[in-house]
C-alpha cells in the first residue's frame, strides 16, 4: 500500500516526555486540587469547615505525571513502531493455531462434555456443560443468525431478541397446548420467526441507518410488551412453565418416569446431567447448522448480494438486484435462526417469560456480532465465548471477597468490568476480532480483504 | 435534409423529459434519440443536467414529465419512466456507471463481476434453494459466470488483480472495472457517466479502444457523458449538447463542433454575442454559397 515510514530504531525522547509529564501534572493539579484536595465537612458543632487532603492530591498528580512520562517515552513510540510495520506481520506464515482454528475448535466442542465429565464426574459437570457450554453456544448461534443481518447485509437490527422470543413462545405455547414434539415445533418456530421477520421487514426496510436501528429496537420492545399484556395467551409476566423436555425422536426420553428414560435404556444411574449433555449436543448441532447454511449462502448469489448491499446499495440497484427482496431474505433467514435458538431456549429452561427478552439481550447479541467483526463466523464465535464466558466467569469471582472484604459483591461489578472490557476491545480492535474479510470466490489465490476497505453498511 | 440515422432505429428515445427539483428545472423538455449500435455523447457545461438525464434513464429519478422508451433489437419495448430502477437493469437491460465510482470496494475484483451476474445466477440456483442443497446446475452456472468474468478481466487488463479488493485498485483500473461490471449484466444500452474523468492521456486512449471494442464485439449501444472533447470527437457518432437543462444542439460531432451555440456555451459567450457569432457565420455561409 502506501509507503510505510522507515522503521526507526527505538529511542525514547526523554525531553519531550518530561515536558509532557509536567504539563499533565499541572492539569491534574488543576482538576484534582479543588476536587480532591479541598473537601467540605461538618465538625462536631455542625459548622461547615474545609478539610484539605494535599497528600492525596500529591499522590494523584504524581501518578498522572509519571504515567504520562512512561506513556510518552516508552509506550507511544512502541505503538507507532507496531503500526508502521503491519505488512511484515501479514506476510508471515500464519501460525499453526491460526490456520487450524476451525478444526481445533470443532474437535474441542465435540469432546467438551466428555472432557468435563471425565474430569469432574456427572454431577459436577452440569454447571460447566450448562452454564458455559450451552449458554455460550446459544449466543454463538444467535450471533451467527444476527451476523447475516448485521455483518453480511449491513442492516443494524437492534430488536433481534424479538425473533428469539417468537421462537421461544411458539415452542412453549404449541408444546404445552397441543403436546406437539420438539422436532415438529423446531422448524415451525423457525418459520414463524422468519414470517415475523418479513412482516417487520416490509415496512422498515426502506429506512436506513439510525432510523432502521430505532424501529427494530421498537419492534423488539413491542413484542415484549405484547407478551406481557396478552395475558390470556401468554400468561403475562408470570410466563409459561412446565414446557416439555426434548426427547430423542421419541426413542429415548429424559423424564425419569418414562419407560424409555435414558438411564433405564442404558442402565445408568438417574442424573440430570444426561439431559444437559444431550442439550449441549443439540445446540451444537443447531449452531453448526447455522454456520453451515451461512457459509454456503455466502458463496451463493444471495449471499454476495447481501455483502454487495452492505458495500453500496445504489450500485446494487444499478446492477438489477432487487434490494428490497435481498434485505427481506437477510431479515427472514436471520430471524429463522433466532427462532430455532428461541425454541431450544424454551425447551432447555422449561420456562419462558418476557423477562428473558429484554433489550439488553439484543444489545449483547449485537455486541457479539460487532466484536466478532467483518461478518466473520469465527470472530462471532470468539466474541460469544469472550462475552458470555466472560460474564459467567465473573460470577465465579467470589475469591475477590478475600481481597476486598466479605461485603464485596462481585456481581455488582460484573456489568462494569464487562463494559470496560468492551471499550478496551473496541479501542484495540476497532473492526472486531477478525479484521479481515474472506472473499467468496477466487481465480488463483484466496487473499483476505483488509478491514479498512470493507464498508459497515448504512441501513 | 434526410432524417439522421439515429432517428431510424433508436435504442433509446427520450421524449419531452422534464425533471424538476422544487423550483429548479434540471432538465427542461428534453427530446433526443440514441441510435442502435451508436456511441452517443451527452455533453454540456457543469450543472447542465447530464447526470440527471442518466438518473432518469436508469430509474434513480422519476422524471416529472415525459417518456423514455427503450427498444431492444428483437423489437420489445420498455417504458423506462414506469419501471423500478433495478427492473430497468434487469429487464430493460440498461447498465450504467457512476460519476463518482461506486464499486464494492471491500469485495474482490472477481466478486464485483459476479455480483453483476446476480439475476441469471439466482435463477440457476433455483432462487437459492436448489443451490443450497448442492444442485449441479448451479455449479455449472457459477463456472460459466466466472468464465464471463475472466473474459471481461482480460479485456480490461485486470486478470492478474482478480483476487485483490476492488478498493485497492488504482483510479484508472477502478473506472475500467466499473465498466466491466456494467457489461457483465449483458446490457443493450450502456450509460457511462464521465468515464474518462481523472484518467491520464494514455489511459484515456485505452478507454476509447475499450469502448469501441465493446460496441464492435458486443453490439452494445453506448451513451456517454463526457467533458473531454477529444474523446467525444474521436469515438462518438452522435452528440447531444445540454445547457441549463435545455438541448442546444444535436448532430454529428462535426456539426456540433461548428454550432455557434455550442461554441458560445463552452466559451461562456453572452446571448447577444451568440447572435453576433451566428450572423457572422451566416455571412460566411452566404459567401461560400456564392
Ligand atoms: N437530487 C437533486 N436534488 C436537487 N437538485 C439536484 C439534484 N440532482 C441534481 N440537481 C441539480 O440539477 C442540476 C443539474 O445537475 P447534474 O448533476 O445533472 O449536472 P451535470 O450536468 O451532471 O453536471 P457535472 O458536469 O458537474 O456532473 C444542478 O443544478 C444540480 O444542483
Ligand atoms: Mg454529472
Amino acid at each position: 500500500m502506501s509507503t510505510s515510514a522507515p522503521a526507526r530504531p527505538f529511542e525514547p525522547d526523554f525531553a519531550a516526555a518530561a515536558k509532557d509529564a509536567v504539563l499533565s501534572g499541572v492539569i491534574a493539579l488543576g482538576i484534582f486540587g479543588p476536587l480532591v484536595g479541598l473537601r467540605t465537612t461538618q465538625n462536631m458543632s455542625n459548622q461547615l469547615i474545609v478539610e484539605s487532603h494535599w497528600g492525596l492530591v500529591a499522590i494523584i498528580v504524581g501518578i498522572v505525571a509519571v504515567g504520562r512520562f512512561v506513556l510518552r517515552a516508552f509506550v507511544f513510540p512502541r505503538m507507532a513502531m507496531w503500526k508502521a510495520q503491519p505488512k511484515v506481520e501479514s506476510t508471515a506464515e500464519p501460525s499453526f493455531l491460526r490456520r487450524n482454528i476451525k478444526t481445533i475448535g470443532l474437535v474441542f466442542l465435540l469432546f467438551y462434555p466428555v472432557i468435563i465429565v471425565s474430569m469432574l464426574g456427572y454431577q459436577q459437570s452440569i454447571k460447566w456443560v450448562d452454564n458455559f457450554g450451552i449458554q455460550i453456544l446459544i449466543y454463538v448461534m444467535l450471533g451467527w443468525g444476527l451476523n447475516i443481518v448485521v455483518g453480511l447485509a449491513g442492516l443494524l437490527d437492534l430488536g433481534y431478541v424479538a425473533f428469539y422470543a417468537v421462537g421461544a413462545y411458539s415452542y412453549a405455547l404449541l408444546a404445552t397446548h397441543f403436546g406437539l414434539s420438539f422436532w415438529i415445533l423446531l422448524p415451525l418456530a423457525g418459520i414463524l420467526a422468519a414470517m415475523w421477520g418479513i412482516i417487520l421487514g416490509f415496512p422498515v426496510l426502506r429506512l436506513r441507518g439510525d432510523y432502521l436501528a430505532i424501529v427494530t429496537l421498537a419492534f423488539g420492545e413491542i413484542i415484549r410488551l405484547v407478551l406481557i399484556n396478552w395475558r390470556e395467551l401468554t400468561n403475562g409476566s408470570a410466563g409459561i412453565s412446565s414446557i416439555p423436555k426434548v426427547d430423542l425422536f421419541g426413542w429415548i426420553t429424559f423424564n425419569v418416569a418414562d419407560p424409555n428414560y435414558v438411564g433405564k435404556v442404558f442402565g445408568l444411574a438417574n442424573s440430570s446431567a444426561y439431559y444437559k449433555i444431550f442439550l449441549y449436543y443439540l445446540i451444537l448441532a443447531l449452531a453448526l447448522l447455522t454456520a453451515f447454511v451461512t457459509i454456503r449462502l455466502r458463496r451463493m448469489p444471495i449471499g454476495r448480494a447481501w455483502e454487495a448491499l452492505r458495500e453500496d446499495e445504489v450500485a446494487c440497484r444499478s446492477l438489477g438486484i432487487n434490494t428490497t427482496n435481498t434485505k427481506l431474505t437477510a431479515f427472514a433467514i436471520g430471524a429463522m435462526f433466532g427462532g430455532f435458538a428461541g425454541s431450544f431456549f424454551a425447551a432447555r429452561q422449561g420456562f419462558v417469560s418476557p423477562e428473558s427478552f429484554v433489550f439488553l439481550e439484543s444489545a449483547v447479541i449485537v455486541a457479539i456480532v460487532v466484536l466478532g467483526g467483518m461478518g466473520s463466523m469465527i470472530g462471532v464465535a470468539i466474541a460469544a465465548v469472550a462475552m458470555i464466558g466472560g460474564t459467567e466467569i465473573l460470577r465465579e469471582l467470589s475469591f475477590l471477597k478475600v481481597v476486598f472484604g466479605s461485603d464485596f459483591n462481585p456481581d455488582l461489578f460484573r456489568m462494569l468490568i464487562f463494559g470496560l472490557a468492551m471499550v478496551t476491545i473496541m479501542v484495540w480492535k476497532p473492526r472486531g476480532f477478525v479484521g479481515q474479510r474472506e472473499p467468496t470466490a477466487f481465480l488463483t489465490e484466496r487473499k483476505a480483504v483488509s478491514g479498512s476497505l470493507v464498508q459497515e453498511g448504512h441501513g | 435534409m434526410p432524417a439522421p440515422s439515429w432517428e431510424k432505429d433508436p435504442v433509446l428515445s427520450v421524449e419531452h423529459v422534464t425533471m424538476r427539483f422544487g423550483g429548479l428545472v434540471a432538465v427542461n423538455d428534453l427530446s433526443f434519440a440514441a441510435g442502435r449500435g451508436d456511441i452517443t455523447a451527452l455533453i454540456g457545461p457543469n450543472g447542465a443536467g447530464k447526470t440527471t438525464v442518466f438518473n432518469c434513464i436508469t430509474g434513480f429519478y422519476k422524471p416529472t414529465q415525459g417518456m423514455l422508451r427503450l427498444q431492444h433489437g428483437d423489437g420489445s419495448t420498455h417504458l423506462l419512466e414506469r419501471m423500478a430502477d433495478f427492473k430497468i437493469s434487469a429487464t430493460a437491460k440498461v447498465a450504467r456507471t457512476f460519476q463518482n465510482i461506486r464499486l464494492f470496494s471491500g469485495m474482490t475484483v472477481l466478486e464485483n463481476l459476479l455480483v453483476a451476474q446476480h439475476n441469471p445466477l439466482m435463477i440457476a440456483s433455483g432462487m437459492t434453494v436448489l443451490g443450497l442443497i448442492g444442485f449441479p446446475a448451479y455449479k455449472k452456472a457459477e463456472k460459466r459466470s466466472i468464465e464471463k468474468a475472466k473474459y471481461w478481466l482480460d479485456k480490461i487488463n485486470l486478470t492478474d488483480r482478480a483476487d485483490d479488493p476492488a478498493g485497492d485498485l488504482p483510479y484508472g483500473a477502478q473506472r475500467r472495472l466499473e465498466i466491466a461490471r456494467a457489461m457483465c449484466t449483458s446490457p443493450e444500452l450502456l450509460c457511462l457517466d464521465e468515464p474518462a474523468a481523472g484518467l491520464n492521456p494514455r489511459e484515456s486512449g485505452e478507454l476509447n479502444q475499450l469502448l469501441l471494442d465493446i460496441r464492435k464485439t458486443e453490439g452494445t449501444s453506448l451513451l456517454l457523458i463526457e467533458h473531454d472533447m477529444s474523446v467525444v470527437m474521436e469515438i462518438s457518432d452522435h452528440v447531444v449538447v445540454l445547457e441549463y437543462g435545455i438541448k442546444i444542439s444535436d448532430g454529428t460531432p462535426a456539426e456540433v463542433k461548428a454550432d455557434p451555440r455550442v461554441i458560445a456555451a463552452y466559451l461562456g459567450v453572452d446571448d447577444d454575442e451568440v447572435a453576433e457569432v451566428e450572423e457572422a457565420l451566416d455571412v460566411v455561409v452566404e459567401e461560400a454559397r456564392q
Side-chain angles (χ1 to χ4, degrees):
Chain A
M1 277 222 295
S2 62
T3 53
S4 58
R8 272 177 290 118
F10 170 65
E11 44 181 47
D13 183 356
F14 287 118
K19 216 170 105 193
D20 230 30
V22 170
L23 192 66
S24 355
V26 171
I27 293 174
L29 184 65
I31 294 173
F32 292 105
L35 276 179
V36 180
L38 301 173
R39 202 176 286 172
T40 52
T41 46
Q42 287 171 332
N43 65 6
M44 296 307 258
S45 48
N46 265 349
Q47 283 169 320
L48 205 60
I49 56 158
V50 177
E51 262 177 27
S52 56
H53 296 260
W54 297 117
L56 196 58
V57 173
I59 292 173
I60 293 176
V61 170
I63 290 175
V64 168
V66 171
R68 183 70 201 178
F69 184 82
V70 171
L71 274 179
R72 181 68 200 264
F74 303 104
V75 180
F76 289 164
R78 283 259 158 102
M79 271 163 59
M81 261 168 62
W82 284 334
K83 276 207 182 119
Q85 41 187 227
K87 278 289 146 199
V88 185
E89 204 182 343
S90 61
T91 48
E93 179 79 352
S95 68
F96 175 78
L97 188 76
R98 203 168 263 234
R99 268 179 293 138
N100 296 296
I101 187 163
K102 285 178 198 162
T103 329
I104 294 172
L106 207 60
V107 169
F108 174 76
L109 284 175
L110 279 176
F111 287 101
Y112 175 75
V114 180
I115 297 166
I116 294 293
V117 168
S118 56
M119 269 164 52
L120 299 171
Y122 278 116
Q123 247 13 64
Q124 290 302 309
S125 74
I126 293 179
K127 185 179 95 186
W128 289 93
V129 172
D130 195 26
N131 291 4
F132 283 85
I134 297 180
Q135 186 75 2
I136 291 175
L137 282 173
I138 288 182
Y139 280 91
V140 169
M141 178 161 177
L142 287 171
W144 281 346
L146 184 61
N147 184 39
I148 294 175
V149 185
V150 177
L152 295 183
L155 305 164
L156 185 52
D157 177 359
L158 292 182
Y160 190 63
V161 81
F163 306 121
Y164 189 42
V166 168
Y169 270 84
S170 302
Y171 178 65
L173 289 171
L174 293 172
T176 48
H177 286 294
F178 302 107
L180 292 174
S181 138
F182 177 79
W183 300 103
I184 296 168
L185 291 179
L186 178 73
L188 200 64
I191 291 169
L192 284 171
M195 196 186 77
W196 277 104
I198 292 173
I199 291 174
L200 165 71
F202 256 119
V204 308
L205 285 179
R206 57 188 73 242
L207 302 174
R208 296 167 63 88
D210 315 349
Y211 301 100
L212 178 68
I214 291 169
V215 174
T216 50
L217 189 157
F219 180 75
E221 285 301 285
I222 289 171
I223 292 262
R224 194 172 64 85
L225 291 176
V226 167
L227 293 179
I228 291 177
N229 290 306
W230 194 357
R231 292 238 175 76
E232 303 78 49
L233 183 72
T234 64
N235 198 23
S237 36
I240 300 169
S241 49
S242 48
I243 299 166
K245 283 180 174 173
V246 188
D247 54 37
L248 195 61
F249 305 114
W251 303 327
I252 295 173
T253 70
F254 296 92
N255 293 320
V256 185
D258 288 348
N260 50 351
Y261 172 64
V262 59
K264 290 175 192 160
V265 174
F266 294 107
L268 298 165
N270 292 353
S271 164
S272 56
Y274 309 136
Y275 187 49
K276 298 296 180 201
I277 293 171
F278 169 70
L279 285 180
Y280 174 88
Y281 282 111
L282 178 58
I283 185 67
L284 181 61
L286 285 174
L288 290 180
L289 174 79
T290 314
F292 175 76
V293 171
T294 312
I295 289 170
R296 289 211 74 142
L297 283 178
R298 259 198 86 207
R299 296 189 187 146
M300 309 248 310
I302 187 71
R304 290 203 192 103
W306 287 338
E307 292 200 75
L309 197 66
R310 178 193 65 203
E311 297 287 319
D312 192 327
E313 184 175 345
V314 170
C316 276
R317 281 188 276 139
S318 84
L319 296 172
I321 296 174
N322 184 338
T323 49
T324 313
N325 283 358
T326 307
K327 286 181 186 179
L328 276 181
T329 48
F331 242 72
I333 292 176
M336 182 182 78
F337 289 122
F340 287 161
S343 64
F344 173 84
F345 172 80
R348 171 212 183 196
Q349 302 291 78
F351 167 74
V352 288
S353 82
E355 279 291 282
S356 313
F357 309 107
V358 290
F359 170 66
L360 185 67
E361 290 294 306
S362 288
V364 166
I365 305 167
V366 170
I368 287 174
V369 175
V370 173
L371 279 184
M374 295 302 128
S376 151
M377 315 276 298
I378 290 288
V380 168
I382 296 172
V385 171
M387 301 242 327
I388 306 305
T391 39
E392 290 299 323
I393 289 273
L394 287 176
R395 281 187 212 282
E396 312 286 319
L397 287 186
S398 31
F399 71 85
L400 283 180
K401 282 187 181 164
V402 183
V403 186
F404 291 103
S406 57
D407 56 348
F408 175 81
N409 182 356
D411 263 1
L412 293 179
F413 290 85
R414 225 154 58 93
M415 286 326 270
L416 182 71
I417 297 176
F418 183 77
L420 275 178
M422 269 202 73
V423 171
T424 318
I425 293 172
M426 287 326 281
V427 170
W428 170 53
K429 292 215 157 210
R431 294 308 294 265
F433 284 127
V434 177
Q436 293 175 329
R437 178 183 166 269
E438 281 283 306
T440 61
F442 62 98
L443 270 193
T444 47
E445 180 192 359
R446 190 184 290 279
K447 297 185 218 166
V449 176
S450 141
S452 56
L453 293 169
V454 178
Q455 309 295 311
E456 283 153 12
H458 302 283
Chain B
M1 195 172 124
S5 63
W6 47 87
E7 302 279 0
K8 285 179 210 144
D9 181 20
V11 63
L12 172 77
S13 342
V14 175
E15 290 164 29
H16 303 289
V17 166
T18 299
M19 182 79 222
R20 283 199 195 94
F21 297 107
L24 178 95
V25 185
V27 177
N28 195 353
D29 195 28
L30 173 71
S31 302
F32 73 91
R36 185 177 315 286
D38 279 358
I39 297 183
T40 308
L42 189 60
I43 65 171
N46 285 105
K50 306 177 296 292
T51 301
T52 307
V53 173
F54 264 37
N55 282 335
C56 290
I57 295 171
T58 50
F60 285 92
Y61 296 156
K62 289 280 155 259
T64 322
Q65 273 166 29
M67 258 176 45
L68 296 144
R69 186 182 311 125
L70 192 100
Q71 252 169 314
H72 284 188
D74 61 11
S76 59
T77 307
H78 302 268
L79 296 176
L80 302 183
E81 78 280 1
R82 300 190 187 165
M83 298 168 74
D85 45 14
F86 72 91
K87 277 260 164 75
I88 289 180
S89 168
T91 60
K93 295 274 163 216
V94 179
R96 75 171 290 182
T97 65
F98 296 87
Q99 190 166 351
N100 41 354
I101 304 175
R102 282 180 173 273
L103 286 171
F104 306 122
S105 59
M107 301 174 89
T108 66
V109 170
L110 177 69
E111 283 179 306
N112 268 271
L113 299 182
L114 291 180
V115 171
Q117 302 176 55
H118 177 81
N119 286 322
L121 279 174
M122 208 53 191
I123 292 166
S125 72
M127 288 347 223
T128 307
V129 180
L130 297 180
L132 198 59
I133 53 178
F135 221 62
Y138 171 65
K139 288 236 168 69
K140 262 188 228 145
E142 191 176 31
K143 269 222 184 73
R144 267 201 310 274
S145 64
I146 290 181
E147 285 307 317
K148 185 167 182 179
K150 263 191 191 154
Y151 170 80
W152 281 105
L153 284 173
D154 226 29
K155 286 210 169 196
I156 60 169
N157 270 331
L158 279 181
T159 310
D160 51 334
R161 303 218 52 183
D163 298 323
D164 288 332
D168 256 356
L169 296 179
Y171 188 81
Q174 293 199 5
R175 282 249 173 241
R176 294 204 303 277
L177 177 59
E178 208 188 12
I179 296 173
R181 188 181 67 178
M183 283 310 295
C184 276
T185 63
S186 316
E188 255 329 272
L189 175 68
L190 175 63
C191 304
L192 305 166
D193 199 341
E194 303 200 13
L199 301 190
N200 61 37
R202 189 178 55 82
E203 288 175 322
S204 172
E206 285 171 3
L207 177 79
N208 287 355
Q209 290 318 306
L210 176 67
L211 297 186
L212 289 171
D213 178 64
I214 284 175
R215 174 177 58 175
K216 201 171 106 204
T217 56
E218 315 298 318
T220 310
S221 317
L222 272 73
L223 179 63
L224 64 121
I225 294 177
E226 196 42 81
H227 273 304
D228 186 341
M229 290 313 270
S230 67
V231 174
V232 173
M233 294 305 151
E234 201 173 311
I235 65 170
S236 54
D237 308 296
H238 170 199
V239 182
V240 176
V241 190
L242 279 187
E243 190 190 13
Y244 299 119
I246 299 168
K247 184 170 89 171
I248 57 171
S249 185
D250 186 341
T252 62
E255 284 166 0
V256 166
K257 203 168 160 185
D259 190 330
R261 302 229 287 162
V262 177
I263 299 167
Y266 269 86
L267 298 180
V269 194
D270 288 340
D271 275 355
D272 43 312
E273 286 179 57
V274 174
E276 278 172 30
V277 173
E278 275 174 341
E279 267 171 32
L281 268 166
D282 283 343
V283 173
V284 174
V285 172
E286 288 302 341
E287 279 173 2
R289 283 213 184 121
Q290 284 168 1

